[in-house]
Amino acid sequence: MKIFPAELVKAIDQYTIANEPIASIDLMERASMAVTSKVMELYPESNQEFSIFAGSGNNGGDGLAIARMLSQQGYRTQIYFIQTTPSTTSDTAINLGRIVPSENLTIETLKPEAVIPYVTPETVIIDTLFGSGVNRPLDAFNKHMVEYINDSGCTIISVDLPSGLMAEDNSTNDPDAIIRADYTITLELPKLALLLPENEQYVGELSIVPIGLHPKALEGFPSNMHFITNEMASKMLYKRRKFAHKGTFGHCYLIAGSQKMLGAAILSSKACMKTGAGLLTTHIPAGLQTALNIAVPEVMIDQDSNTECFTQYSSITNYDAIGVGPGLGTNTTTIATLAQLLTDARRMPMVIDADGLNILAYNKELLKTLPKFAILTPHPKEFERLAGSWNNDIEKIERLYQFAKEHSAYIVLKGAHTIVASPDGRLWFASVGNPGMATAGSGDVLTGIILSLLGQGYSPEEASILGVHLHGLAGDIAAKEESQEALIASSIVDSIGRAFKFLWEIRNL
């Protein structure tokens, strides 16, 4: 699924209208039906009351249609139509004319001089004041309306975008003039602003509802940003051949763990095997092999001569992919050994995480020796140490572009909506994952998943995208079974098989 800027979304709407063909008012009706269905899914009991705040633009037209549809389903619905100018868009005017007041449906027009009526906290507000056309901070009256809604104590559902939020860059916006929604139901495609951490307080829980935009437009219009869907991930899966053997699925080499952080090596090793690697050799300090053998009996062990940290490695010629970093430590000898490994493994698929990244950050000359298309998996603070600080999320994305291109690497920036950045300037945003995954060892699991995919012959791009999706999907499965609070890294590992099964079921539909 592509992520388009607001002006291209408008062009896709127009393409759909011209080529389906469909009248614009009918496309608005179809979008409103999709939103209404989602609202009714959230609130199945028809005794729930709604107040719809509708502007005079097309987002307001959606709101008027949603109000009509909810009232027809037995929900008591109050419309507040905000009229700051004498004119409305033509489709909004049509939907305004379709409003027939009844016991379940009332409407009140609010002009700038009007007193805003009191809305009880039990009422759910549906925000359709403004859509994706906002490109500057709201004026004083509309800011006052936003502040009133935010202070109402009501649950707020925003349609397409929270009113006042610009679709991409909000660095010049007024944070007090943006709706703080509990739910955002966006139409057909995610908008960039909805996926950025700095906008979490406005977006709430995000849902995407299809409205039937023309597939040729969705496929043909260009975008360098993508939203990773289950369908996209399922198509990446490699089908296993009947006469395959363990060598077919790769021999991975994991360099991880230290005297105080063996758990990282265990979690990465388990994740690598659960993701389908044929063979895995894990390099750990001397004296830790018994613990690793008991925890992961499927793994072969390459033992360092040092009992504390990583100081040497065996020949790497027999391995198909290398993972390095989880629990590694940043000992001086470890730094020198990693530097030599980067030189020796210049042509090998590699994923680097955790202390591997910290070593790179504090020894930036090593970045010049990264294997081409290496995968780096930093969390935001690790990426900041690697690439420098930023003032907002748009600047962060620019840094991602620049860093991936400069170092011919794939960057997996972890977090809610984890971002995969490619060296050629494309981005993929994760659609799965949950806050329960913010737990010790979760990143080690991701490293093991990506290493396994690399060893099986997936390209660095495929391993990054599919690895992120499998990791997030496994986390969601675990959270559903255990709760977000109880989720630990081992829970994610234990759910990898069910994540694969889910994706294969989608692939085989």
Side-chain angles (χ1 to χ4, degrees):
M1 180 182 289
K2 295 178 183 177
I3 301 169
F4 294 103
E7 61 270 17
L8 273 184
V9 174
K10 186 175 181 179
I12 292 168
D13 284 347
Q14 293 304 313
Y15 184 97
T16 301
I17 290 165
N19 292 276
E20 185 172 332
I22 183 173
S24 59
I25 185 63
D26 294 332
L27 182 59
M28 180 178 284
E29 190 80 356
R30 194 158 72 193
S32 301
M33 287 177 65
V35 174
T36 301
S37 294
K38 184 63 182 179
V39 171
M40 291 173 62
E41 181 184 314
L42 292 171
Y43 295 95
E45 300 297 329
S46 62
N47 60 355
Q48 177 61 57
E49 295 188 8
F50 292 93
S51 286
I52 285 81
F53 284 77
S56 57
N58 280 340
N59 197 248
D62 292 334
L64 293 168
I66 292 164
R68 168 169 43 83
M69 294 172 187
L70 285 172
S71 70
Q72 289 168 350
Q73 296 300 318
Y75 293 89
R76 192 175 182 86
T77 307
Q78 169 71 53
I79 301 168
Y80 296 107
F81 184 65
I82 316 303
Q83 193 167 32
T84 56
T85 62
S87 61
T88 62
T89 63
S90 58
D91 289 339
T92 299
I94 291 171
N95 265 320
L96 192 59
R98 291 176 176 175
I99 298 299
V100 179
S102 66
E103 184 179 348
N104 281 340
L105 182 61
T106 55
I107 183 168
E108 182 175 346
T109 298
L110 299 180
K111 296 184 178 181
E113 65 275 10
V115 175
I116 306 173
Y118 173 70
V119 178
T120 62
E122 296 77 21
T123 301
V124 172
I125 290 177
I126 298 180
D127 154 44
T128 62
L129 293 172
F130 294 95
S132 59
V134 173
N135 56 19
R136 60 183 182 274
L138 300 184
D139 60 27
F141 171 74
N142 285 301
K143 178 180 178 179
H144 175 59
M145 187 67 64
V146 164
E147 289 174 331
Y148 171 83
I149 292 172
N150 285 340
D151 293 339
S152 66
C154 299
T155 297
I156 303 169
I157 300 174
S158 287
V159 175
D160 207 25
L161 281 162
S163 289
L165 187 70
M166 302 177 203
E168 287 88 39
D169 185 358
N170 285 273
S171 57
T172 61
N173 209 343
D174 179 355
D176 294 326
I178 304 172
I179 289 290
R180 289 177 168 82
D182 298 284
Y183 301 93
T184 297
I185 303 172
T186 200
L187 307 178
E188 188 77 43
L189 302 162
K191 285 71 182 175
L192 177 60
L194 300 175
L195 308 178
L196 302 180
E198 65 190 14
N199 298 325
E200 177 186 11
Q201 61 184 314
Y202 311 119
V203 178
E205 184 178 314
L206 177 64
S207 301
I208 303 170
V209 294
I211 64 169
L213 294 181
H214 203 291
K216 285 189 176 179
L218 297 175
E219 293 166 12
F221 280 68
S223 177
N224 66 335
M225 295 188 188
H226 303 263
F227 196 56
I228 307 169
T229 62
N230 289 321
E231 290 73 19
M232 179 191 296
S234 71
K235 290 176 182 177
M236 292 182 176
L237 293 171
Y238 288 6
K239 190 173 179 63
R240 296 197 161 202
R241 302 194 309 273
K242 179 179 179 179
F243 292 101
H245 53 82
K246 61 187 176 184
T248 307
F249 304 117
H251 191 170
C252 299
Y253 188 41
L254 174 65
I255 302 168
S258 55
Q259 188 66 36
K260 295 182 179 180
M261 292 184 284
L262 179 62
I266 291 172
L267 287 166
S268 272
S269 296
K270 281 186 175 182
C272 185
M273 294 305 298
K274 287 288 285 186
T275 306
L279 296 160
L280 170 63
T281 296
T282 299
H283 180 99
I284 54 172
L288 303 177
Q289 66 271 27
T290 300
L292 182 57
N293 264 330
I294 292 171
V296 198
E298 300 86 354
V299 170
M300 295 177 285
I301 295 175
D302 178 35
Q303 195 171 192
D304 204 289
S305 61
N306 190 290
T307 60
E308 297 291 329
C309 60
F310 172 50
T311 67
Q312 64 186 101
Y313 51 92
S314 60
S315 170
I316 58 175
T317 56
N318 294 326
Y319 300 117
D320 297 296
I322 297 175
V324 59
L328 199 65
T330 56
N331 181 281
T332 303
T333 308
T334 297
I335 295 171
T337 310
L338 178 60
Q340 186 60 50
L341 176 69
L342 293 175
T343 299
D344 290 346
R346 288 285 288 172
R347 298 184 181 279
M348 291 192 68
M350 183 180 289
V351 54
I352 305 174
D353 185 35
D355 281 330
L357 299 174
N358 290 328
I359 290 171
L360 294 177
Y362 294 118
N363 302 270
K364 287 193 168 58
E365 69 279 2
L366 295 180
L367 290 170
K368 298 175 183 177
T369 66
L370 285 175
K372 191 174 184 180
F373 302 141
I375 302 171
L376 278 59
T377 60
H379 57 59
K381 202 64 184 177
E382 288 169 337
F383 184 64
E384 185 179 333
R385 288 195 285 266
L386 284 165
S389 61
W390 52 84
N391 294 314
N392 55 65
D393 284 339
I394 297 298
E395 285 188 11
K396 177 184 68 180
I397 287 173
E398 286 301 321
R399 289 216 179 275
L400 266 176
Y401 280 133
Q402 294 164 7
F403 192 89
K405 181 179 180 181
E406 180 180 354
H407 300 290
S408 296
Y410 284 85
I411 312 301
V412 177
L413 184 59
K414 295 179 289 196
H417 298 302
T418 289
I419 308 173
V420 176
S422 73
D424 62 3
R426 290 171 295 152
L427 297 180
W428 292 265
F429 289 78
S431 62
V432 289
N434 63 83
M437 298 174 70
T439 184
S442 178
D444 303 325
V445 174
L446 177 61
T447 300
I449 290 172
I450 292 175
L451 171 61
S452 183
L453 295 171
L454 287 173
Q456 292 173 63
Y458 287 83
S459 71
E461 182 173 301
E462 292 169 331
S464 298
I465 296 168
L466 181 56
V468 163
H469 197 78
L470 280 168
H471 183 249
L473 189 56
D476 286 346
I477 292 168
K480 188 174 182 179
E481 293 181 353
E482 302 180 21
S483 81
Q484 293 182 9
E485 291 80 4
L487 191 156
I488 58 175
S490 295
S491 310
I492 303 172
V493 175
D494 293 341
S495 299
I496 291 172
R498 276 163 289 179
F500 268 113
K501 186 177 180 182
F502 177 79
L503 290 180
W504 275 113
E505 287 171 353
I506 289 175
R507 169 82 167 263
N508 293 327
L509 285 177

